[in-house]
């Protein structure tokens, strides 16, 4: 990767050997991109880690964790995306630690992935791994490709939603989720 970055910088006409600020840049960029893309080496099962028995008397109550900050890279322009994910699920027989939900978001965010696909991957993985009857991932983000290039919409935020199971249809459970998210924003 460092060799490719070196070739890229040379193709851009930059003086790699004479500019002290560029000495070591290819190696630093390669190291940074290794972190940006480390999600390809993880599975949702790895990210969620150990699961625990769910509450025996659970009858459709939501578990909601909001404002899980993430960073990603746009697959179209290789520019940064920063955002917050709000993740919800209804436990069935298994639950995970709250922090593991952030790890699940990062598992997919640390790939070249569209925001819509990120939300879908989180919601579907939670449904599959935890066998949850209802999951959701709602993402709000700031896309650098929208903010710093083209029309330069500096204040634009993008929103994506993905639902699985009982949350897929607009019903009481989805309204409860949105009511919780609304009260947390005040």
């Amino acid at each position: 990767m460092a060799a490719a970055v070196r070739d890229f910088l040379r193709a851009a006409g930059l003086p790699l050997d004479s500019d002290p600020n560029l000495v070591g840049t290819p190696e630093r960029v390669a190291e940074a991109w290794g972190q940006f893309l480390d999600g390809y080496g993880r599975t949702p099962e790895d990210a969620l880690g150990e699961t625990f028995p769910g509450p025996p008397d659970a009858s459709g109550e939501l578990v909601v964790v909001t404002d899980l900050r993430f960073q990603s890279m746009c697959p179209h322009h290789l520019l940064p995306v920063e955002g917050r994910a709000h993740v919800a699920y209804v436990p069935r027989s298994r639950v995970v630690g709250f922090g593991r939900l952030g790890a699940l978001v990062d598992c997919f965010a640390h790939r070249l992935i569209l925001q819509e696909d990120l939300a879908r991957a989180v919601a579907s993985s939670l449904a599959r791994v935890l066998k949850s009857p209802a999951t959701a991932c709602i993402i709000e983000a700031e896309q650098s490709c929208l903010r710093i290039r083209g029309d330069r919409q500096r204040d634009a935020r993008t929103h994506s939603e993905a639902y699985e199971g009982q949350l897929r249809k607009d019903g009481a459970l989805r309204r409860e989720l949105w009511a919780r998210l609304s009260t947390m924003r005040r």
Side-chain angles (χ1 to χ4, degrees):
M1 196 179 318
V5 171
R6 189 173 289 104
D7 291 344
F8 169 78
L9 294 173
R10 283 198 176 112
L14 300 179
L16 289 179
D17 300 323
S18 61
D19 186 337
N21 293 314
L22 296 177
V23 173
T25 294
E27 292 75 21
R28 286 189 297 273
V29 170
E31 182 181 344
W33 274 91
Q35 294 171 7
F36 299 156
L37 300 176
D38 67 2
Y40 287 106
R42 286 184 274 161
T43 67
E45 291 80 4
D46 294 336
L48 289 171
E50 184 179 2
T51 63
F52 305 95
D57 57 352
S59 58
E61 294 96 353
L62 281 168
V63 171
V64 182
V65 178
T66 62
D67 296 316
L68 296 165
R69 290 186 176 269
F70 71 89
Q71 293 81 37
S72 191
M73 289 292 177
C74 162
H76 295 155
H77 303 99
L78 300 182
L79 291 173
V81 175
E82 290 190 60
R84 296 170 189 246
H86 314 292
V87 178
Y89 74 100
V90 171
R92 183 171 272 162
S93 60
R94 308 300 292 173
V95 296
V96 293
F98 295 133
R100 303 317 307 161
L101 297 176
L104 179 63
V105 171
D106 282 344
C107 171
F108 293 107
H110 289 200
R111 301 176 186 193
L112 298 177
I113 190 168
L114 294 175
Q115 178 176 327
E116 301 88 339
D117 293 334
L118 173 58
R120 169 78 30 234
V122 170
S124 64
S125 293
L126 266 181
R128 182 179 53 77
V129 175
L130 296 182
K131 299 187 180 8
S132 171
T135 64
C137 181
I138 298 151
I139 294 176
E140 53 187 277
E142 297 175 0
Q143 303 272 344
S144 292
C145 53
L146 182 61
R147 290 175 154 235
I148 66 173
R149 58 172 300 283
D151 291 335
R152 294 190 179 121
Q153 296 296 317
R154 289 183 178 92
D155 296 325
R157 288 180 181 257
T158 56
H159 299 260
S160 300
E161 305 170 19
Y163 304 96
E164 290 288 330
Q166 296 167 4
L167 280 166
R168 205 149 198 186
K169 30 187 185 310
D170 184 20
L173 196 57
R174 190 188 287 196
R175 285 190 297 277
E176 178 186 341
L177 171 61
W178 277 99
R180 285 189 192 186
L181 292 175
S182 296
T183 58
M184 292 174 196
R185 291 275 177 238
R186 293 181 186 157

